[in-house]
Amino acid sequence: LGEPRWDVIDEEEELRKKAVRQIYSSKILQKGHVLTEDDLLILRPGNKESGIPASAYDRIVGREINTDIQKQAPIHWKDIVD
């Protein structure tokens, strides 16, 4: 009966880009703030190339930010202290 394939066809590519979930700020955050669950939202559409994917949520809770972040702005890896 063949092998199942999970390829994305051209017609699905645009929808797939819009379906990506990304981490956003729930409020204004100031440089030096340590992120908590209350500070974060998971929204779509996200930008797969530059933002932090929702799958990394647990990796950024408890981390410090190195810049001010506006309310409902996407959070990027460059915003997180190493």
Side-chain angles (χ1 to χ4, degrees):
L1 298 178
E3 303 226 0
R5 293 190 65 177
W6 300 100
D7 297 331
V8 176
I9 60 175
D10 292 339
E11 292 81 10
E12 297 173 322
E13 188 59 39
E14 190 63 31
L15 178 60
R16 181 180 172 152
K17 289 178 185 176
K18 293 178 181 176
V20 173
R21 292 178 186 260
Q22 183 175 332
I23 300 172
Y24 288 76
S25 63
S26 64
K27 54 190 163 193
I28 296 172
L29 302 172
Q30 296 186 346
K31 179 179 179 176
H33 180 77
V34 176
L35 295 172
T36 68
E37 291 183 3
D38 290 336
D39 298 326
L40 306 174
L41 299 171
I42 296 177
L43 301 174
R44 73 174 144 201
N47 183 342
K48 196 164 89 172
E49 287 76 33
S50 65
I52 299 177
S55 60
Y57 183 87
D58 290 336
R59 291 177 31 207
I60 69 165
V61 172
R63 303 273 301 270
E64 182 181 341
I65 57 173
N66 59 19
T67 188
D68 293 341
I69 301 174
Q70 296 301 309
K71 182 177 181 178
Q72 293 190 347
I75 298 176
H76 301 89
W77 286 115
K78 65 182 173 86
D79 301 332
I80 306 294
V81 174
D82 289 329

